[in-house]
Amino acid sequence: MGAGDFESRWLRPDVNAVWTRFLQVTHRLEHHIDRRLQVNHGITHTQYEILVRLADGEEQAMRMSDLADSIVTAKSAVTYQVNKLSEMGLVERHKCDRDNRGTWVKLTPAGLERLEQAAPCILSLVRELFLDDLNCDQSAELDKLLGTWSDNLDEHDRNPVHRPDH
């Protein structure tokens, strides 16, 4: 199935249905994960992702700008979430010693403990709602599609096309 006429202002109905379903599924999955984390662990999915990235970082710390890039969100959104995590005692902020412009975020022992408590909950939910119903062929096909989309996004990030809206 192709998208059809790219010059057209609208997607073909069958393609639009696929796009709409994709958006609904991804938003619903995100909503379930976010709700489960908030109810069971008192953090949002974005906050969980920040804790994961910090745990994986060298010395469990990252520059704020690198953290924003790694979770693909605006620096202001990361600043807001880091402030919330800091208020909970799950991360600490430090000025960068090298250039005094950057801010480092470091995972605290309490943050690592919260992450370790939340991870099994999220992994079981992702398996239940997303992975368990995929067979090996479907998983391989999904991986191929995701790779294609990721490559397209990478290319767009390297060479953004600025076209006026119609």
Side-chain angles (χ1 to χ4, degrees):
M1 169 185 359
D5 179 9
F6 285 104
E7 298 303 314
S8 172
R9 183 177 167 152
W10 303 103
L11 296 174
R12 285 192 338 239
D14 59 330
V15 175
N16 188 57
V18 170
W19 174 245
T20 300
R21 191 168 193 185
F22 170 80
L23 291 175
Q24 289 172 339
V25 167
T26 56
H27 291 306
R28 288 176 66 202
L29 182 61
E30 174 70 25
H31 174 74
H32 281 281
I33 292 170
D34 199 58
R35 187 173 58 206
R36 178 80 55 96
L37 279 168
Q38 288 182 44
V39 167
N40 293 342
H41 302 285
I43 57 175
T44 66
H45 190 206
T46 301
Q47 292 167 344
Y48 175 83
E49 289 297 323
I50 289 170
L51 297 178
V52 167
R53 296 303 185 277
L54 292 174
D56 290 342
E58 187 176 324
E59 297 183 33
Q60 298 183 330
M62 292 180 77
R63 284 181 72 109
M64 187 77 88
S65 58
D66 294 336
L67 183 57
D69 290 344
S70 76
I71 62 170
V72 192
T73 194
K75 288 174 182 61
S76 61
V78 170
T79 299
Y80 175 80
Q81 295 299 339
V82 166
N83 287 341
K84 292 293 186 187
L85 289 167
S86 181
E87 290 170 10
M88 291 185 267
L90 304 179
V91 302
E92 298 173 338
R93 296 170 61 136
H94 303 281
K95 281 288 182 194
C96 181
D97 293 336
R98 288 177 271 181
D99 64 16
N100 248 356
R101 292 179 317 184
T103 300
W104 282 86
V105 182
K106 181 165 178 48
L107 189 64
T108 65
L112 182 58
E113 183 178 337
R114 181 80 58 98
L115 175 61
E116 289 172 346
Q117 291 169 350
C121 173
I122 294 313
L123 294 176
S124 69
L125 185 62
V126 169
R127 285 184 184 106
E128 173 190 337
L129 297 178
F130 186 70
L131 297 173
D132 285 349
D133 290 327
L134 295 178
N135 65 39
C136 289
D137 291 340
Q138 291 170 319
S139 181
E141 184 62 26
L142 180 57
D143 185 52
K144 183 178 174 183
L145 288 169
L146 292 170
T148 298
W149 295 332
S150 182
D151 291 347
N152 289 344
L153 291 167
D154 290 346
E155 179 62 28
H156 185 320
D157 290 346
R158 284 188 298 274
N159 302 300
V161 176
H162 298 287
R163 295 167 64 172
D165 291 336
H166 297 256

